[in-house]
């Protein structure tokens, strides 16, 4: 196993369940100091919601040893030799390099944060939020504050970092080159509500603005934006998206797909005999378009790792594909999306319509009712559901799972509009906003 997090260690565990140590020796090499950790929990450790950091680690190397899985931390795989069937590994603690033979290889090298080449990027005080080490450093900074935090990028990780600093009393500015935040998954009429809610609690959002430079001599002091504005900054967090770590595989001659991630079939097999790949570094198939995609989501990494492990262990299982369902929150505002946006559907050659519905998370008269908006996308003519987006107060976002289930099962919007969903005033209106959005998009599609 190259890479010891969600994909790699899911694969290791599943392979071990099917093959005993006498049938299969399993060795995992992990560059960082941890295996099987939850990157998803990192922003919440930075915020101080979850302590200690070690609670984000599901299993230690000692726990894997009890399953007869050897997990070596601070070991980086430098090269894969497909002819010799070996990997070259550097022990980062001792600086020694050795080779390890393999019959079967599983590549779960994950993704890395995108770092633009602008001046000041390497100054102390400029951080990514990817590894547990990053989370530890950012938490120490948060604890030493408050001050001014500039978050560069308006994706999920950027917004979760913004919440962490805001929660601890920092002045937070999010700067994004996009027209809005979360613009890879939400349309601007939906994400505009996210910006409104952020600004309402005092987080400044600067859109359509690129960061030109990061200033400081010994430590970051400010961020220079195109257009001339200088934002004071005691810390800068980069949230500019991520890229699959596929160079190691590509250098070995393993095929990459059109997304730049490792190409795999539905059994997670790469182009090289006996070599599997799963997680953020590998492509998956979008169930609606049938096209290869490369999403960086823990849900997909765990599932594809499991499929790889079952097949490595002698099973025969196909991964059924993804919808890219994602969810997050920034303070009291919840956000989620699944499937295709209308523009994505049309780009994939599907004639699509959309409809939005606005309502409340609970019965309108319930004391905690908050506003919620749902956009649904369906195919013109058939009414087949293609995608949905949700923005709203507490209780809003998990409604996306109903849409994901409906899209997964090729349901029409009309069917969803009549589905027997649960109701009581603390949970929804008697017609949930899901019903109303589905009915509206069914009407638009017909
Ligand atoms: P990774 O978790 O990236 O693990 C790959 C591992 O391989 C790394 O530990 C790396 O050190 C190691 N590695 C790489 N190259 C080598 C090498 N040559 N030799 C040895 N080791 C190597 N997803 C969600 O679904 N929901 C969320 O709420 C969510 N929140 C997130 C929040 C943050 C801050 C981050 C960073 C990610 C979040 N994600 C979330 C994404 C999710 O964490 C990833 O999709 C998931 O961790 C991918 O698992 P993976 O095993 O494919 O890759």
């Amino acid at each position: 196993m190259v890479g010891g997090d969600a994909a790699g260690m899911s694969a290791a565990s599943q392979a071990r369940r099917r093959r005993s140590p006498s049938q299969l020796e399993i060795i995992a090499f992990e560059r960082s100091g941890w295996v099987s950790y939850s990157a998803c929990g990192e922003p919440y450790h930075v915020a101080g919601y979850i302590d200690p950091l070690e609670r984000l680690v599901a299993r230690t190397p000692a726990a894997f040893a009890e399953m007869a899985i050897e997990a070596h931390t601070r070991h980086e795989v430098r090269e894969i030799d497909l002819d010799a069937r070996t990997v070259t590994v550097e022990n980062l603690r001792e600086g020694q390099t050795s080779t390890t033979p393999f019959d079967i290889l599983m590549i779960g090298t994950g993704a890395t944060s995108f770092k633009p080449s602008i001046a000041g990027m390497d100054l102390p005080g400029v951080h990514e939020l990817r590894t547990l080490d990053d989370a530890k450093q950012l938490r120490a900074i948060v604890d030493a504050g408050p001050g001014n935090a500039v978050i560069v990028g308006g994706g999920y990780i950027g917004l979760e970092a913004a919440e962490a600093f805001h929660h601890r009393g920092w002045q937070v500015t999010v700067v994004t080159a996009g027209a809005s935040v979360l613009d890879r998954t939400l349309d601007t009429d939906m994400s505009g509500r996210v910006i409104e809610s952020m600004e309402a609690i005092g987080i400044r959002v600067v859109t359509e603005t690129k960061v030109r430079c990061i200033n400081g001599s010994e430590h970051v002091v400010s961020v220079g934006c195109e257009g001339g504005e200088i934002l004071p900054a005691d810390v800068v967090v980069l949230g500019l998206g991520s890229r699959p770590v596929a160079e190691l595989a590509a250098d070995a001659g393993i095929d990459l797909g059109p997304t730049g991630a490792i190409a795999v079939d539905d059994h997670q097999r790469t182009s090289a005999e006996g070599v599997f790949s799963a997680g953020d570094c590998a492509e998956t198939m979008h169930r609606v378009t049938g096209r290869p995609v490369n999403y960086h989501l823990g849900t997909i990494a765990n599932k594809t790792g499991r499929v790889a492990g079952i097949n490595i262990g002698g099973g025969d299982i196909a991964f059924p594909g993804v919808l890219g369902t994602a969810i997050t929150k920034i303070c009291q505002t919840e956000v989620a999306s699944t499937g295709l946006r209308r523009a994505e559907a049309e780009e994939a050659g599907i004639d699509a319509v959309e409809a939005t519905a606005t309502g409340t998370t609970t019965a309108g008269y319930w004391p905690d009712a908050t506003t919620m908006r749902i956009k649904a996308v369906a195919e013109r003519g058939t009414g087949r559901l293609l995608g949905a987006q949700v923005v709203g107060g507490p209780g809003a976002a998990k409604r996306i799972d109903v849409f994901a289930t409906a899209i997964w099962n090729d349901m029409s919007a009309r069917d969803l509009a009549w589905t027997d969903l649960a109701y009581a005033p603390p949970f929804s209106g008697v017609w949930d906003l899901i019903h109303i959005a589905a009915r509206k998009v069914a009407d638009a599609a017909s």
Side-chain angles (χ1 to χ4, degrees):
M1 309 295 164
V2 187
D5 193 24
M9 299 322 281
S10 295
S13 303
Q14 289 301 320
R16 171 57 72 235
R17 278 165 163 258
R18 280 161 186 79
R19 290 212 212 167
S20 65
S22 62
Q23 296 169 310
L24 187 71
E25 187 186 352
I26 304 177
I27 306 176
F29 293 113
E30 165 56 45
R31 182 171 52 200
S32 77
W34 285 275
V35 288
S36 207
Y37 55 92
S38 168
C40 314
E42 288 168 5
Y44 306 108
H45 172 72
V46 176
Y49 302 150
I50 298 161
D51 272 317
L53 181 68
E54 288 68 25
R55 284 189 66 200
L56 301 183
V57 179
R59 275 204 191 110
T60 59
F64 279 109
E66 284 173 20
M67 299 164 66
I69 295 169
E70 253 184 61
H72 298 278
T73 57
R74 304 260 184 236
H75 279 65
E76 178 164 351
V77 175
R78 296 280 193 193
E79 194 188 353
I80 299 167
D81 186 332
L82 292 174
D83 296 325
R85 309 297 284 176
T86 57
V87 288
T88 305
V89 185
E90 184 178 344
N91 176 337
L92 300 175
R93 284 193 191 91
E94 287 159 22
Q96 289 162 350
T97 299
S98 59
T99 57
T100 299
F102 66 84
D103 299 301
I104 301 171
L105 191 70
M106 156 64 201
I107 304 174
T109 42
T112 184
S113 304
F114 176 64
K115 251 183 130 175
S117 52
I118 56 175
M121 195 48 85
D122 294 322
L123 273 174
V126 181
H127 293 260
E128 298 169 27
L129 180 49
R130 177 146 297 276
T131 64
L132 289 185
D133 288 331
D134 296 334
K136 199 178 206 170
Q137 286 171 17
L138 283 172
R139 172 60 184 275
I141 291 168
V142 163
D143 286 348
N148 291 299
V150 175
I151 315 292
V152 185
Y156 281 74
I157 293 174
L159 294 202
E160 289 170 8
E163 168 170 343
F165 280 89
H166 170 78
H167 176 70
R168 298 294 303 276
W170 286 61
Q171 284 298 316
V172 180
T173 306
V174 176
V175 188
T176 177
S180 189
V181 294
L182 300 171
D183 54 3
R184 292 208 189 132
T185 49
L186 292 188
D187 294 335
T188 45
D189 55 332
M190 300 295 285
S191 56
R193 298 192 157 231
V194 181
I195 294 180
E196 278 166 26
S197 72
M198 290 167 72
E199 290 183 334
I201 57 170
I203 298 176
R204 185 171 170 221
V205 183
V206 182
T207 57
E208 293 178 329
T209 303
K210 283 190 178 159
V211 166
R212 189 172 39 84
C213 56
I214 298 175
N215 308 312
S217 50
E218 314 231 311
H219 192 275
V220 58
V221 292
S222 65
V223 170
C225 300
E226 274 181 2
E229 189 175 1
I230 306 282
L231 302 167
D234 301 299
V235 62
V236 174
V237 183
L238 303 174
L240 288 162
S242 45
R243 305 277 179 272
V245 177
E247 296 78 11
L248 187 69
D251 290 349
I254 294 166
D255 289 349
L256 305 187
T259 66
I262 300 170
V264 289
D265 67 9
D266 64 2
H267 281 55
Q268 304 301 135
R269 290 179 291 230
T270 69
S271 61
E273 182 67 32
V275 181
F276 293 74
S277 182
D280 286 2
C281 62
E283 289 187 334
T284 48
M285 190 268 294
H286 198 287
R287 276 176 77 91
V288 179
T289 63
R291 291 179 176 175
V293 285
N294 177 232
Y295 294 127
H296 299 164
L297 289 166
T299 46
I300 299 172
N302 277 281
K303 289 178 191 137
T304 54
R306 184 183 181 92
V307 167
I310 290 172
N311 291 326
I312 290 168
D316 180 7
I317 182 173
F319 182 62
V322 299
L323 296 173
T325 310
I327 189 166
T328 191
K329 75 175 198 62
I330 169 132
C331 299
Q332 293 297 301
T333 302
E334 300 185 357
V335 187
S337 60
T338 190
L340 303 179
R341 295 191 272 171
R342 183 172 166 199
E344 289 170 327
E346 289 182 342
E347 193 271 320
I350 305 170
D351 189 5
V353 295
E354 66 182 30
T356 50
T358 305
T360 47
T361 48
T362 59
Y365 54 76
W366 189 255
D368 294 335
T370 60
T371 309
M372 163 169 68
R373 187 175 172 92
I374 296 182
K375 177 181 279 195
V377 180
E379 185 175 35
R380 192 188 302 277
T382 65
R384 176 175 61 121
L385 280 163
L386 302 171
Q389 300 160 45
V390 180
V391 177
K398 270 301 237 182
R399 282 170 162 96
I400 205 68
D401 287 342
V402 174
F403 283 97
T405 308
I407 298 166
W408 186 271
N409 289 293
D410 286 328
M411 272 176 75
S412 72
R414 189 73 67 201
D415 276 347
L416 181 58
W418 290 107
T419 302
D420 190 8
L421 302 178
Y423 155 69
F427 302 101
S428 70
V430 67
W431 292 96
D432 194 283
L433 200 62
I434 294 169
H435 289 126
I436 298 167
R439 189 164 64 219
K440 284 178 95 171
V441 81
D443 289 346
S446 59

